[in-house]
Amino acid sequence: MSTTELDSLAGLRAGTPLVAGQQPTWPDQAALADAVAILESYPPLVFAGECDVLRDRVAAASTGDAFMLMGGDCAETFVNATADNIRDRVKTVLQMAAVLTYGASVPVVKIGRMAGQYAKPRSSDTETREGVTLPAYRGDMVNDFEFTEAARRPDPQRLVRAYHASSATLNLVRAFTSGGFADLRHVHDWNRGFVANAANSRYEKLAHDIDKAMKFMAACGADFDAMRTTEFFSAHEALLLDYERPLTRIDSRTGRLYDTSAHFVWVGERTRDGEGAHIDYVSHIHNPIGAKVSDKASPDDVLRLIERTNPDNEPGRLTFITRMGAGKVRDALPAIVDKVTASGAHVTWVCDPMHGNTFESASGYKTRDFEDVVDEVRGFFEVHRGLGTVPGGIHVELTGNDVTECLGGAEKILDADLNKRYESVCDPRLNHQQSLELAFLVAEMLAQD
Ligand code: PEP
Ligand code: CO
């Protein structure tokens, strides 16, 4: 490893510490060192070769030869890493992917926001309730959601627990996607169940068209063995450097560094400073990476991210996940896309229609309106089509469960319904039905090409 790379893993540039935003204040440094040493001794969760495959897939999405679907919880939790929850989330992503594949007529790259999404950036380091101030909840990798002093104390052993929870999750995901569960025929049957619900009758025609395509392929003797398994990748925000750095390894084939905690990692909106420790860290790993980009980013900020993370202009290496808000995407996105295009940089554009559309409902829940989510994706497609660039994918917070966290959708979830089943410990997720509905709507947008 070069000195620069060693420095980078230590969070230094030319021997000087870089600023790493959003890190917990660990109360016990010796306990942190122990946890980091344990992580360093553990096997990788993913292999470099798999990350390279994903980089090729992401490159295909940048030219319209594939479409990326990234989805999962805002924040995974240890208690919810159960077989049923994991199965239902994978099932939801597979169902969405089947519909999108038909709409786009290109392969859909399936990426779970899972098996590592255990750390959260917060707007404040502390939280005050009824006069009591405690450390903010920073994700299960750091502390517990419960509002007590003991639960909120950052505990480095949680880094180790996050590794085990991620390992178990990924193991099950790999089993589901290679062991027959992901068979396209099952997935299609599940989707038939979705459109059989009267609320979703608007999507019957598309489902019927897919049905005909499936029958046509079967009649032609298409190789259904090839449809029994599917590629499925893992992704999370590379936020906690005390987790990502110890899981960074040298690939013995190429001598290059990879973050082996996930196939794809992204840097969030709050930590994407071109001169900060997070961008420095991802600039040294060889995984495909992403950066969130809000309306607050200037075109020059975005160019700086390209310079820092993809100086060799490798296709598939860098994805911009734009999250502008439905009301802003049409105004804020074009200048950024234009400048990137003019620079000649290869990037993949993905739309996160969730994080620019969060608000507090009258009843006090952090929520999002399904209409805004759809409108931001529409705006994203309009901007890219207008500029002749490629809308390469979507990134959504979703669950396979029937939660009531986002308003609207065909089931018309109202503010008064939010308290029925609001389970997210962070941002509101689309439930199973809303996720499928979004997939049908995006498939219609894709089919307009
Ligand atoms: C997130 O993806 O959960 C998140 C915090 O997003 P952003 O960094 O875009 O705010
Ligand atoms: Co979120």
Side-chain angles (χ1 to χ4, degrees):
M1 241 190 289
S2 70
T3 330
T4 340
E5 279 170 352
L6 285 170
D7 266 11
S8 166
L9 285 180
L12 305 170
R13 189 187 298 155
T16 309
L18 291 164
V19 177
Q22 296 287 341
Q23 304 304 289
T25 311
W26 299 111
D28 181 344
Q29 289 302 309
L32 174 62
D34 284 349
V36 167
I38 292 171
L39 289 178
E40 279 170 348
S41 74
Y42 280 163
L45 292 176
V46 302
F47 293 105
E50 298 175 312
C51 301
D52 292 344
V53 169
L54 178 57
R55 188 165 351 85
D56 289 346
R57 305 286 182 261
V58 176
S62 75
T63 53
D65 296 307
F67 189 76
M68 279 162 80
L69 171 62
M70 309 183 74
D73 287 328
C74 178
E76 291 180 279
T77 59
F78 297 150
V79 289
N80 283 317
T82 64
D84 286 0
N85 283 331
I86 296 164
R87 179 200 59 211
D88 291 343
R89 227 172 315 141
V90 169
K91 185 173 165 179
T92 304
V93 172
L94 293 174
Q95 285 183 263
M96 293 174 77
V99 176
L100 291 169
T101 306
Y102 187 78
S105 303
V106 292
V108 170
V109 188
K110 297 169 268 301
I111 307 175
R113 232 185 106 107
M114 57 203 292
Q117 181 56 22
Y118 286 104
K120 297 309 300 173
R122 302 319 301 244
S123 46
S124 164
D125 204 30
T126 57
E127 182 182 344
T128 302
R129 288 190 201 168
E130 293 162 6
V132 180
T133 300
L134 294 175
Y137 171 64
R138 289 192 170 274
D140 270 20
M141 197 184 268
V142 176
N143 55 5
D144 193 274
F145 186 62
E146 200 194 338
F147 195 72
T148 64
E149 199 166 336
R152 288 292 173 95
R153 186 182 150 89
D155 175 3
Q157 272 307 311
R158 287 179 164 271
L159 297 168
V160 177
R161 203 165 157 203
Y163 170 92
H164 290 299
S166 301
S167 161
T169 301
L170 203 54
N171 184 51
L172 196 58
V173 169
R174 289 184 192 278
F176 280 145
T177 51
S178 62
F181 178 79
D183 190 310
L184 190 59
R185 286 164 297 185
H186 296 163
V187 176
H188 177 57
D189 278 344
W190 299 328
N191 281 347
R192 276 207 291 235
F194 169 79
V195 287
N197 178 341
N200 302 320
S201 55
R202 179 184 177 310
Y203 308 110
E204 245 167 41
K205 159 101 179 58
L206 187 53
H208 180 69
D209 290 349
I210 300 176
D211 207 38
K212 276 180 75 174
M214 297 282 293
K215 287 187 175 132
F216 173 73
M217 283 189 291
C220 295
D223 174 14
F224 270 103
D225 269 357
M227 299 188 189
R228 289 189 73 251
T229 64
T230 190
E231 284 180 344
F232 199 103
F233 300 95
S234 66
H236 63 261
E237 178 175 351
L239 180 68
L240 234 69
L241 298 172
D242 292 325
Y243 182 73
E244 309 303 336
R245 283 189 187 124
L247 290 171
T248 306
R249 304 292 157 78
I250 302 172
D251 173 27
S252 54
R253 299 167 311 157
T254 59
R256 304 186 88 147
L257 289 175
Y258 283 80
D259 184 352
T260 64
S261 71
H263 299 108
F264 180 106
V265 288
W266 74 88
V267 179
E269 167 66 13
R270 294 172 187 76
T271 48
R272 62 163 165 74
D273 174 5
E275 314 314 314
H278 290 85
I279 291 297
D280 186 64
Y281 168 72
V282 295
S283 74
H284 291 279
I285 57 170
H286 204 54
N287 307 55
I289 59 157
K292 293 286 199 87
V293 173
S294 77
D295 61 304
K296 296 193 191 82
S298 72
D300 284 336
D301 292 341
V302 174
L303 286 193
R304 179 76 183 128
L305 293 176
I306 296 172
E307 249 170 58
R308 294 281 291 117
T309 61
N310 196 17
D312 298 335
N313 206 11
E314 252 184 288
R317 156 72 176 161
L318 178 60
T319 299
F320 284 127
I321 307 168
T322 61
R323 30 86 89 218
M324 305 273 167
K328 294 180 179 156
V329 60
R330 293 169 180 84
D331 293 331
L333 187 55
I336 291 175
V337 175
D338 258 344
K339 193 131 190 186
V340 170
T341 308
S343 78
H346 283 292
V347 304
T348 306
W349 297 103
V350 165
C351 175
D352 162 0
M354 313 300 293
H355 289 88
N357 294 311
T358 317
F359 65 95
E360 190 175 314
S361 77
S363 66
Y365 282 95
K366 194 178 184 186
T367 191
R368 291 159 176 157
D369 193 320
F370 185 76
E371 288 303 314
D372 294 337
V373 170
V374 174
D375 190 38
E376 178 154 359
V377 183
R378 252 185 233 298
F380 172 81
F381 272 81
E382 282 167 28
V383 168
H384 283 290
R385 293 212 163 120
L387 297 173
T389 45
V390 177
I394 55 170
H395 178 122
V396 268
E397 288 183 341
L398 58 81
T399 163
N401 302 338
D402 297 326
V403 299
T404 54
E405 297 172 5
C406 290
L407 300 169
E411 296 169 303
K412 299 194 171 51
I413 293 178
L414 304 172
D415 190 3
D417 298 319
L418 294 180
N419 68 359
K420 289 187 185 149
R421 206 174 155 190
Y422 195 103
E423 295 175 2
S424 177
V425 291
C426 200
D427 292 336
R429 302 159 297 177
L430 298 181
N431 65 22
H432 179 71
Q433 295 282 322
Q434 290 168 327
S435 303
L436 291 184
E437 194 175 354
L438 178 66
F440 273 96
L441 291 168
V442 177
E444 286 175 2
M445 297 177 209
L446 282 162
Q448 278 163 20
D449 266 342

